[in-house]
């Protein structure tokens, strides 16, 4: 059995764009042609590859085909560059990458900016918690990921980036109102800010101070810069990366609440596929991470 690249590419476009109509516009064909290609792929494989939901999503079999499509597109790009193809005359390859919100808001865009100036590439960034970005690698949705997972995803290689260091901070006015005595009882009543319901950094810090994490009231602010802004506006206390807090601490706009900082060790994982472009991305991302993040160990 062989999987025609055109059919695999069509499936990947459908999942990327979310609908068959949007995939048709991207591929410059009719929606009927997209539907026929996916049906032909399913008939050839003898299994479903696409769930016709809104948005559409790949089945497990479809995810394997999409991973093949992305790898084939990457290898084709590398070959054309090696043969001297002028990138200015062709479409730039899209590289999907998963990254956690705090890295995206602080250090991660700088290496990508340098890469985009040197290589014919555009980036499709998928933002998720660092504990879940590895899952996007496993599904074939992305080629590389910033993740807290140190064990290599199947078919991937991993490099340590460094530790994102978080410290508990709040405004002086907030501390005066809620935490004047710095007691566990006060912390149990003081409002805090969480990124979302999967954010456990504040819970870990509370537990280290002997406070039941279920007690305090919470604001949920699911965007990294807005999350930091909410803390600076006095919504509550939170664990902020040093990137986002050190200047405000120096100006006296935020104060440290004490307790041990929480270090989240980050890794770069990418497909274990020899590709000059993927290697260049890894080199830039790993070098930047090791330059700006706290050393591990």
């Amino acid at each position: 059995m062989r999987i025609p690249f055109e059919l695999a590419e069509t499936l990947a476009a459908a999942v990327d764009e979310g609908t068959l109509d949007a995939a048709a516009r991207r591929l410059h064909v009719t929606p009927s042609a997209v539907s026929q290609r996916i049906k032909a792929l399913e008939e050839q494989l003898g299994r479903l590859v696409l769930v016709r939901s809104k948005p559409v999503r790949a089945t497990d079999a479809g995810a394997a085909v999409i991973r093949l499509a992305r790898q084939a597109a990457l290898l084709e790009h590398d070959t054309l560059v090696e043969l001297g193809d002028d990138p200015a005359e062709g479409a730039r390859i899209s590289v999907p990458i998963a990254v956690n919100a705090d890295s995206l808001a602080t250090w991660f865009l700088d290496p990508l900016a340098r890469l985009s100036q040197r290589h014919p590439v555009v980036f499709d960034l998928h933002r998720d918690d660092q504990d879940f970005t590895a899952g996007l690698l496993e599904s074939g949705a992305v080629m590389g990921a910033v993740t807290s997972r140190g064990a290599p995803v199947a078919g991937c290689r991993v490099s340590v980036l460094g530790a994102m260091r978080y410290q508990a901070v709040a405004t002086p006015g907030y501390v005066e109102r809620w935490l004047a005595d710095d007691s566990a009882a006060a912390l149990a009543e003081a409002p805090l800010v969480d990124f979302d319901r999967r954010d456990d950094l504040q819970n870990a810090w509370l537990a280290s101070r002997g406070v039941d994490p279920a007690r305090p009231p919470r604001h949920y602010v699911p965007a990294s810069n807005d999350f930091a802004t909410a803390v600076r506006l006095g919504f509550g206390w939170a664990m902020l990366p040093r990137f986002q807090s050190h200047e405000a601490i120096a100006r006296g706009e935020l104060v440290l609440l004490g307790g041990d900082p929480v270090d989240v060790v980050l890794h770069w994982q990418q497909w274990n596929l020899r590709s000059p472009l993927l290697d260049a991305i890894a080199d830039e991302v790993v070098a930047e991470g090791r330059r700006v993040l706290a050393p591990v160990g």
Side-chain angles (χ1 to χ4, degrees), residues 55-262:
V56 298
R57 57 184 177 84
T59 65
D60 289 345
V65 174
I66 289 171
R67 186 163 53 249
L68 170 67
R70 298 200 199 285
Q71 291 177 346
L74 180 63
L75 292 173
E76 180 184 56
H77 164 85
D78 289 338
T79 301
L80 290 173
V81 170
E82 185 177 351
L83 293 174
D85 181 65
D86 185 357
E89 296 178 0
R92 289 173 173 255
I93 186 171
S94 177
V95 176
I97 293 174
V99 58
N100 61 307
D102 287 336
S103 291
L104 182 59
T106 53
W107 66 272
F108 192 68
L109 290 178
D110 286 341
L112 299 193
R114 293 191 291 269
L115 286 158
S116 66
Q117 293 171 3
R118 300 198 308 269
H119 299 275
V121 60
V122 291
F123 295 103
D124 180 6
L125 299 183
H126 299 242
R127 188 191 68 189
D128 205 344
D129 185 271
Q130 61 270 1
D131 293 337
F132 299 94
T133 48
L136 295 172
L137 265 177
E138 290 176 318
S139 70
V142 300
M143 299 180 184
V146 176
T147 173
S148 59
R149 180 168 164 179
V153 171
C156 294
R157 49 194 166 107
V158 58
S159 299
V160 176
L161 293 169
M164 182 81 83
R165 178 158 294 170
Y166 293 82
Q167 297 170 299
V169 297
T171 64
Y174 174 92
V175 171
E176 182 179 355
R177 178 181 177 185
W178 293 100
L179 301 175
D181 62 1
D182 191 31
S183 66
L187 281 169
E189 302 298 327
L192 62 87
V193 185
D194 267 344
F195 187 86
D196 58 25
R197 285 165 176 80
R198 298 183 301 180
D199 181 3
D200 61 0
L201 286 173
Q202 284 68 231
N203 289 347
W205 188 84
L206 284 170
S208 74
R209 301 293 296 270
V211 180
D212 179 358
R215 290 283 306 279
R218 298 166 189 263
H219 302 280
Y220 292 97
V221 185
S224 186
N225 285 324
D226 296 334
F227 179 92
T229 298
V231 176
R232 288 195 294 269
L233 291 174
F235 278 53
W237 71 269
M239 307 294 292
L240 286 186
R242 291 190 68 255
F243 293 107
Q244 292 180 316
S245 63
H246 72 280
E247 291 183 357
I249 291 171
R251 294 192 299 265
E253 297 170 2
L254 292 176
V255 294
L256 294 169
L257 300 186
D260 292 333
V262 175

Side-chain angles (χ1 to χ4, degrees), residues 266-281:
L266 298 177
H267 305 82
W268 172 252
Q269 294 214 35
Q270 69 179 50
W271 290 343
N272 192 18
L273 186 70
R274 284 301 168 188
S275 157
L277 178 58
L278 266 188
D279 289 346
I281 293 172

